[in-house]
Amino acid sequence: FRVLKDCIKRKDIISGRQVHDIVKKNLLETNAFLGSHIIRMYASCGSLFDATEVFHKLSNPSIFSWGAIISAHSTLGHMEEAISLYYAMCSSNLKPDGHVFVAVLKACSDSCSLRDGRLIHIDVVGYNLYSNVFVTNILVDMYCKCGSLRDAQAVFDMSQEQTLVTWGALLSGCIQCGSPKKALYLFYKMQLKGLEMDNGVCISVLQACGSLKNAYFGKLIHIFVVESGNDSDLLMVSTLIDMYSKCGEMENAQHMF
């Protein structure tokens, strides 16, 4: 188990295969606990074929095994298969946990599958996992990426714990959905609550300033970025150039370039 964790951390498929061979020789290939970690190992190394093969050999997949294989498909870009696996898991009468919901909702988010996202949201409520901040965050992100800012706001308002990640997801969603004024309003509320800004929040606010041609507010955010030492970040610099350009501040845009 510890060796597999190390292989996952280092993305070392060669050592991982050696461990897998030992598991086979000891006739433990159907063990759900070991199998789950081997699936994670192969997924971390980018081998979805091997991960899927291991999963199908498990005699009685646990919820952790299902979570591992759903996450593998979602992470490696096979979103529709990840969603289908979730429904297959539900038909086996296993109760999904937070890890499963995060994995399958990420698949819904990346594939912009609003219908599946809403159906799985119903399951989140049914299994009383609304208090799980990771599930709440991915729900907000999923609705934003699917273009339903109204649903994202509803999840945000009902969440029991609104972390910086939750705020950041909704702010980013406002930009994606073409609501820059709402993004600035959310930022104002963040300031009232005394929440600190990270790079993601700053970038979203700068994008809102660019869309609204609000150079004054954009410059205030720029000052904060400089004071926090993040003015050399490539994405941040690119966003500042874009903001100043949209505001007609070409001299500042050239300076940032």
Side-chain angles (χ1 to χ4, degrees), residues 9-209:
K9 184 179 180 180
R10 294 187 288 110
K11 302 185 188 303
D12 183 358
I13 196 169
I14 295 174
S15 299
R17 288 193 192 281
Q18 291 173 347
V19 175
H20 189 191
D21 286 339
I22 293 170
V23 170
K24 289 178 183 177
K25 288 175 183 177
N26 286 275
L27 304 178
L28 294 171
E29 202 172 9
T30 61
N31 182 280
F33 177 77
L34 285 173
S36 300
H37 290 288
I38 294 172
I39 290 168
R40 289 182 59 228
M41 180 274 296
Y42 279 127
S44 71
C45 297
S47 181
L48 186 59
F49 175 82
D50 286 309
T52 303
E53 192 175 56
V54 171
F55 178 77
H56 286 312
K57 289 181 179 178
L58 299 179
S59 58
N60 189 25
S62 64
I63 191 63
F64 190 67
S65 308
W66 281 100
I69 196 63
I70 291 170
S71 179
H73 280 79
S74 177
T75 303
L76 296 175
H78 295 258
M79 277 71 75
E80 290 183 6
E81 291 89 340
I83 296 169
S84 296
L85 281 165
Y86 170 79
Y87 291 131
M89 182 210 69
C90 290
S91 67
S92 68
N93 296 319
L94 283 173
K95 178 183 176 181
D97 61 6
H99 297 290
V100 168
F101 279 123
V102 168
V104 71
L105 286 169
K106 181 183 182 301
C108 295
S109 174
D110 291 344
S111 61
C112 295
S113 181
L114 183 58
R115 176 184 173 275
D116 288 304
R118 282 177 169 156
L119 288 173
I120 294 165
H121 185 183
I122 293 170
D123 289 345
V124 169
V125 176
Y127 286 110
N128 197 29
L129 281 169
Y130 229 69
S131 59
N132 186 311
V133 67
F134 298 104
V135 174
T136 300
N137 289 347
I138 196 67
L139 273 169
V140 171
D141 182 69
M142 181 272 296
Y143 278 126
C144 287
K145 287 182 178 174
C146 290
S148 182
L149 192 56
R150 182 177 179 180
D151 284 320
Q153 183 69 59
V155 173
F156 180 86
D157 292 338
M158 292 180 66
S159 61
Q160 298 178 17
E161 183 182 356
Q162 296 166 345
T163 67
L164 184 60
V165 175
T166 322
W167 283 91
L170 190 57
L171 265 170
S172 177
C174 290
I175 304 302
Q176 293 173 38
C177 296
S179 300
K181 287 184 179 179
K182 184 176 176 62
L184 291 186
Y185 174 69
L186 284 171
F187 176 73
Y188 171 70
K189 289 181 69 175
M190 284 183 69
Q191 298 305 294
L192 290 180
K193 289 180 175 291
L195 292 170
E196 294 184 4
M197 290 190 290
D198 62 5
N199 274 16
V201 169
C202 287
I203 286 170
S204 293
V205 176
L206 286 169
Q207 289 172 334
C209 293

